[in-house]
Amino acid sequence: MNNTPKGPGLLRRYVPILSWGAAYSRQTFASDLVAALIVTIMLIPQALAYSLLVGLPPQYGLYASMAPLVLYAVFGTSRALAVGPVAMASLMTATAASQIAAAGTPEFVGAAIALAMISGLLLLVMGILRLGFLANFLSHPVISGFITAAAIQIAAGQLGPLLGIRTEGEELMHILVSLGRNLAQLNPWTAALGVIAIVFLLWARQGLRPLLLRMGLGERMGDILAKMGPAMIIVAATAAVAGLGLDEKGVKVLGAVPQGLPEIGLPPIEMGLWTKLLVPSFLICIVGYVESISVALTLAAKRRQRVDPDQELIALGMANLGAAVSSGFPVTGALSRSSVNFDAGAQTPAAGAFTAVGVAIATLFLTPWLFFLPKAVLGAIIIVAVLSLVDVGAIRRTWSYSRADFAAMAGTIGVTWVAGIEAGLLVGVGLSIFLHLYSTSRPHVAVVGQIPGTAHFRNVTRHQVVTSPEILSLRVDASLYFPNARFIEELINDAVAANPAVRHVILECPGVNTIDASALESLEAVNRRLKDGGVMLHLSEVKGPVMDRLKRSHFLQELTGKVHLTQFDAVASIQPELASATLKDRNSSSIWATGPSM
């Protein structure tokens, strides 16, 4: 039965605003408006900071915070996701665009905007083709390691502006070396502003709200003002620089920020440029999507709301296309702003559209007030924002749980710091795939026996079980495919060679979800060799889809034994007396040897 929606239903699926917009109320409007006000105050300084992180003039961060938010409100399915510039995408944009031209040049600006266009098109195509599963190739340890490594690298890159020191390079090692080499350039006024800003922002996260409550403010107002820490430090620092003339003492300021809305137009469309930016764009959109959908699903679960992952691809694609045609750089969902948006009471994606209006108003009327904003404070805002993404605990937990996953995580971190973020991410993905193939090439196979008093079969090394010297029962705990086909074949041959009394081999297959062509050939070879040695091959507990595929081959006709519904049926068909006697022996219960096998 085809459940694909048609007509109006199809339109609502791809344009979700038609669904939630029909029930939009005055109360919802008020909630969205309050949330938008808080997020706008938070977004403006972050947009300026992330624009400088990319290497673009500050107004481009504001440009990336208008059209994308409106388009996501139309096409997005998350009620609380706040889309816009984020640290990871900004760093990846800076890295990719720097391969095209030097920061600040028209070619660099064009490359950054083109990245948004290419990323948007890739996301849009992935959404239409429902290819969200591609993000699954980024395992959690790799993503966690990448985010931690990139966050530390971003923070290190902001130490220069924070201290008034010029740094060079993009990789962590180069940044730290240049920082140490140029330490004599440290500007005490800049360093003082930067350190004060960091201390205040860190304190504001935990201490500002309790202070406001002790001053007599209500819970609601205390929550709202506590989110405005970045705006407060910007106002104070800008006033201090202007009032004390600190710009004349070496403190670098933002300078003139153009007023007005962005011009609408297309980025450079050149085949050579787009070819160079294709791989970075793909990495940006994949990382951005993983970050965004994780946040969206987490917040939706708290309100028992639904998020459509494939539609989110389309929504983020449209948001990035909106950024590209309005002089913005790549955007995605932001963890910190989305959490604030959620806590502030946003009920629908309209809150994002209202935020875009607030940013537009600021771009039109407030930019002259930003002239004396010290870049050190923007650096402090970035450092505090990204350090919250560093998850040392995840590294420790991964080491304790899985050495293979830790190897992928450590490789991602190390290569990111030494060779750059793109190389780190690609190495992490490559390591994850390699380690997965290696582990699945040697799957767990257990020799099983019957537990007395039951029809259950368990690992002979973990339970007290009953076995027969004439029957070799092997439980395969993985699907059979080309990396492990030869391993299974050799394992069966070796096991039979080591047990001359064996006359029957039973493969118990509850964990086998597929048998590919290579594995089928190996099973056929095993069947022939066992037949030549006077041993019969049986299968048990074969899943329906696997059985359907086997029926399309000649294997079942050539199988020397039978296919049984259960392992007990298989053993009972060969040695019914032993199976029945063991089943009736209820005086001997199952005793764990070293722990459960399943």
Side-chain angles (χ1 to χ4, degrees), residues 29 35 57 65 72 83 121 125 140 192 241 272 286 315 326 354 379 382 404 411 420 430 450 530 539 595:
F29 170 78
S65 305
Y72 182 83
V83 171
L121 291 173
V125 170
H140 184 268
V241 171
I286 288 294
S326 59
F354 299 153
I382 293 176
Q450 185 178 355
L530 293 179
L539 302 180

Side-chain angles (χ1 to χ4, degrees), residues 158-159 161-164 186-201 232-254 372-381 383-384:
Q158 296 305 306
L159 291 177
L162 189 81
L163 302 174
L186 185 143
N187 183 290
W189 293 102
T190 300
L193 283 172
V195 171
I196 291 172
I198 285 183
V199 171
F200 175 79
L201 290 171
M232 293 178 184
I233 194 63
I234 280 181
V235 171
T238 302
V241 171
L244 301 176
L246 297 182
D247 56 319
E248 299 176 359
K249 297 180 181 180
V251 174
K252 296 185 181 299
V253 297
L254 201 60
F372 289 103
L373 172 59
K375 292 184 178 180
V377 172
L378 294 179
I381 291 174
I383 289 174
V384 173

Side-chain angles (χ1 to χ4, degrees), residues 71-154:
L71 287 169
Y72 182 83
V74 175
F75 296 98
T77 60
S78 171
R79 301 297 181 97
L81 189 68
V83 171
V86 299
M88 293 302 154
S90 299
L91 177 61
M92 297 178 76
T93 300
T95 301
S98 65
Q99 306 300 317
I100 304 300
T105 63
E107 292 79 10
F108 182 91
V109 175
I113 300 174
L115 282 165
M117 174 67 77
I118 302 171
S119 298
L121 291 173
L122 289 173
L123 286 164
L124 197 59
V125 170
M126 290 171 62
I128 293 174
L129 298 180
R130 307 181 74 80
L131 298 180
F133 70 89
L134 291 176
N136 296 335
F137 286 98
L138 290 176
S139 67
H140 184 268
V142 168
I143 282 291
S144 179
F146 171 74
I147 290 176
T148 293
I152 293 175
Q153 184 167 310
I154 291 171

